[in-house]
Amino acid sequence: MADEPQTHNDKTYRVLAAICRKFLPGVPILDAVETTNLGGGVDIWVPKQDTYEKWREEYTALQAAGEEMWFYTCAFPAGPAMNRSMDLPLAVSRTVLWMGALYRLSGFLHWGFNYYIGEDIWHSACCPHKGALLPAGDAHIVYPGKDGRPWRSMRFEAQRAGAEDYELLMQAVDAAPGEADALVRTVCTTFRSYARSGTAVAAARLRLFHLLEEVARNG
């Protein structure tokens, strides 16, 4: 209903949500959010990675109360914060979903998939947006292929592998949360503190298999 509602417009957002619920009863409301004060106005919360950590105590309380929490990454924060830009090691596109498991976030909102804005994406990795340039690769993880079929990037494949890791990690969380969290923390502890080596991620994934094997063996 609104792009990233914030503290200055959270009240009007809830009013808009009430109108939506009146005319579309039962339809869930999902939005990217920049505030924690939307109770009753949103069904699936989607804060950016840094927004979640900024107000982690509040968001954790919402999760404990039964609210569904996703997350997403986008142009900001830039620099070392986990995202899918070309400026970061490829391993980060994968382990960003390991942080989803650590924080018990149940979904990831894609930005962006193929937001080319008419640019020659093969020669310009930074798409123009509102008078500025988005970070390299921020707006796309696929490329225009033949007959309208997208060509997957390495970042796309890395995140897809991360999604498979996430499913395995959540199995481990269900059976042995302490051990699963400790394993994730060997790779990443926050959205700004993480291993930059694919070798480290592969080693942790092997330990994950061993953990799941042990869980299965012990029933």
Side-chain angles (χ1 to χ4, degrees):
M1 295 189 301
D3 186 23
E4 300 173 340
Q6 303 176 10
T7 53
H8 68 274
N9 63 358
D10 51 20
K11 293 180 181 178
T12 53
Y13 182 94
R14 292 199 301 274
V15 171
L16 182 60
I19 296 172
C20 179
R21 295 191 192 285
K22 177 180 178 180
F23 291 101
L24 294 172
V27 175
I29 298 173
L30 178 156
D31 261 319
V33 300
E34 298 261 345
T35 177
T36 61
N37 191 28
L38 295 173
V42 64
D43 297 299
I44 302 176
W45 303 67
V46 193
K48 284 202 301 287
Q49 77 280 49
D50 66 315
T51 302
Y52 180 86
E53 289 187 330
K54 179 180 178 181
W55 290 311
R56 185 181 172 191
E57 184 176 346
E58 290 87 344
Y59 282 127
T60 300
L62 287 167
Q63 289 173 267
E67 296 290 309
E68 185 170 358
M69 196 73 58
W70 293 14
F71 76 110
Y72 75 110
T73 64
C74 72
F76 302 103
M82 274 186 168
N83 57 58
R84 304 182 302 188
S85 74
M86 295 177 180
D87 298 328
L88 293 178
L90 186 60
V92 179
S93 292
R94 181 170 190 163
T95 55
V96 67
L97 293 182
W98 288 52
M99 285 302 303
L102 184 64
Y103 286 153
R104 310 297 192 260
L105 305 172
S106 58
F108 181 86
L109 177 68
H110 281 281
W111 163 259
F113 186 72
N114 60 347
Y115 188 66
Y116 305 135
I117 327 181
E119 288 292 300
D120 180 3
I121 204 65
W122 298 104
H123 297 92
S124 176
C126 300
C127 287
H129 182 66
K130 296 182 179 179
L133 289 176
L134 296 172
D138 177 70
H140 64 286
I141 55 170
V142 297
Y143 290 85
K146 296 179 180 179
D147 302 321
R149 298 177 182 177
W151 287 355
R152 301 185 295 270
S153 69
M154 291 188 294
R155 292 174 296 127
F156 177 98
E157 295 292 356
Q159 191 172 37
R160 184 168 70 170
E164 294 172 353
D165 295 341
Y166 172 91
E167 294 297 330
L168 295 173
L169 285 165
M170 293 309 295
Q171 290 181 35
V173 164
D174 288 341
E179 291 89 336
D181 288 347
L183 191 151
V184 172
R185 290 191 178 101
T186 66
V187 171
C188 45
T189 55
T190 71
F191 284 118
R192 291 178 180 269
S193 178
Y194 49 82
R196 306 175 76 85
S197 163
T199 302
V201 178
R205 191 169 189 265
L206 180 59
R207 292 195 296 273
L208 172 59
F209 286 142
H210 291 162
L211 174 59
L212 290 171
E213 182 180 31
E214 180 181 351
V215 167
R217 186 169 53 247
N218 295 333

